[in-house]
Amino acid sequence: MNARFFVTVIVLNWNGKDDLLRCLGSLDPLLSEQLRVLVVDNGSSDGSSAAVRDRFPGVELLALDRNFGYAGGNNAGFRHAMKRRPEYVVFLNNDTVVAPDAVARLTAVLRDDPEAGIAVPEILYMDDPDRIWYAGGVVRLGLGLVRHEGIRKLHGPAYARRKETGYATGCCIAMRSLDFERIGGFDERFGMYAEDVDLSLRVRKAGLTVVCEPAARVWHRVSASYGSGMHPRKILRKSAAMLYLMRKHRAWSGFIFYPFALVAQAAGALLHTLARKPSGRS
């Protein structure tokens, strides 16, 4: 009979060996009979799989033969993890570092609150570790709006309270395994982006909540600068995902308002970057 593991952390990777090894370094001390880590490698060509086997023999590895994307890779990892029937599953980006108590705090939310369908941590910039990348999510599809709360703000009392929120970022999502299975997993029709928003909306439609637990903290290697999120290809992919998201959830008015929301978010990011630039004066 397979051993039962309390929680399985699924770390998705594609050609991100250095990030992956850093992430696993933060998870390795947590390994136990109650916590298992599964790396899903999406057909990497950079030696990621060999490095995991060499450096972290206690971590399980699922090496896929090609890149199935975020949704496909995580769904494959979930199916593999369910052979051992963990009670909870945490989907974690490879370019993260987790606080030692983060997983325990997230699963505690799900254990103590039967109405919580997703628990998500506060996520901070790795290169600016007191600055917030995600402290909750606002989603108003009818206005074409999906955005992080607290982004680029310093962590403080305003963001220190556990709260129900609109959506969880796919950077780190904790769920009961049976809930994820019942909801139907990630929608693999999304090419890239918005799978997390869609999952959150389906969880909420099922009568459950999305809870942000700021006492659980994760650091994400993403630049806080304006330019990092404004590559034309990235904008096109995000926009395609948003259009599909709005169509799937029948938010038809969002098609009108989305261009304005996109411009407003880009302007906010640009103003933040300009405000942080040194003046050059002595």
Side-chain angles (χ1 to χ4, degrees):
M1 181 182 296
N2 289 334
R4 179 181 175 85
F5 289 89
F6 184 73
V7 57
T8 296
V9 180
I10 298 174
V11 183
L12 187 67
N13 176 71
W14 181 68
N15 287 331
K17 180 173 66 175
D18 292 341
D19 282 335
L20 176 63
L21 295 178
R22 184 188 304 114
C23 177
L24 295 180
S26 70
L27 291 169
D28 192 57
L30 309 180
L31 292 176
S32 69
E33 285 297 307
Q34 287 72 46
L35 190 146
R36 189 174 186 89
V37 175
L38 168 66
V39 169
V40 179
D41 189 73
N42 250 339
S44 294
S45 58
D46 67 346
S48 291
S49 293
V52 171
R53 292 189 184 101
D54 180 57
R55 293 274 299 275
F56 297 100
V59 168
E60 190 174 3
L61 176 67
L62 175 63
L64 304 178
D65 59 2
R66 62 184 175 88
N67 187 354
F68 287 87
Y70 177 88
N74 275 316
N75 284 344
F78 178 77
R79 290 191 295 270
H80 184 85
M82 286 301 285
K83 294 175 182 178
R84 298 181 182 272
R85 306 301 297 180
E87 189 172 358
Y88 303 105
V89 63
V90 178
F91 298 97
L92 182 68
N93 275 13
N94 66 333
D95 56 354
T96 59
V97 167
V98 301
D101 60 350
V103 174
R105 288 184 180 276
L106 293 175
T107 54
V109 171
L110 299 170
R111 183 191 65 223
D112 297 340
D113 182 357
E115 294 186 355
I118 294 177
V120 62
E122 181 178 86
I123 302 175
L124 303 112
Y125 291 97
M126 195 177 295
D127 63 358
D128 195 351
D130 291 320
R131 195 170 296 276
I132 294 168
W133 182 72
Y134 170 95
V138 175
V139 52
R140 297 190 178 96
L141 289 188
L143 297 176
L145 178 65
V146 173
R147 65 171 176 83
H148 289 191
E149 290 185 69
I151 187 166
R152 304 182 187 90
K153 303 290 187 182
L154 289 174
H155 173 80
Y159 302 102
R161 182 178 58 85
R162 180 190 297 182
K163 64 181 180 182
E164 185 177 332
T165 193
Y167 74 95
T169 169
C171 182
C172 182
I173 287 177
M175 292 187 68
R176 298 178 195 87
S177 297
L178 294 181
D179 284 340
F180 185 77
E181 196 169 48
R182 178 168 62 92
I183 294 297
F186 291 106
D187 184 345
E188 297 182 25
R189 291 171 293 183
F190 285 91
M192 185 180 289
Y193 303 114
E195 305 97 330
D196 47 3
V197 183
D198 172 64
L199 179 71
S200 300
L201 292 175
R202 287 186 283 128
V203 164
R204 289 170 54 194
K205 286 180 180 178
L208 300 172
T209 62
V210 179
V211 177
C212 180
E213 172 54 276
R217 307 186 84 187
V218 169
W219 289 267
H220 183 27
R221 191 180 66 79
V222 58
S223 173
S225 70
Y226 161 76
S228 64
M230 298 308 295
H231 190 284
R233 185 178 297 176
K234 188 171 184 179
I235 292 174
L236 287 173
R237 287 176 172 174
K238 283 189 171 183
S239 296
M242 276 295 297
L243 294 175
Y244 174 63
L245 181 71
M246 291 184 290
R247 180 165 67 88
K248 178 178 179 179
H249 293 274
R250 300 182 180 276
W252 307 118
S253 62
F255 285 84
I256 299 171
F257 292 107
Y258 175 67
F260 301 100
L262 185 65
V263 170
Q265 289 182 29
L270 177 58
L271 289 172
H272 169 79
T273 300
L274 293 175
R276 295 187 68 198
K277 275 188 176 181
S279 67
R281 297 176 183 174
S282 57

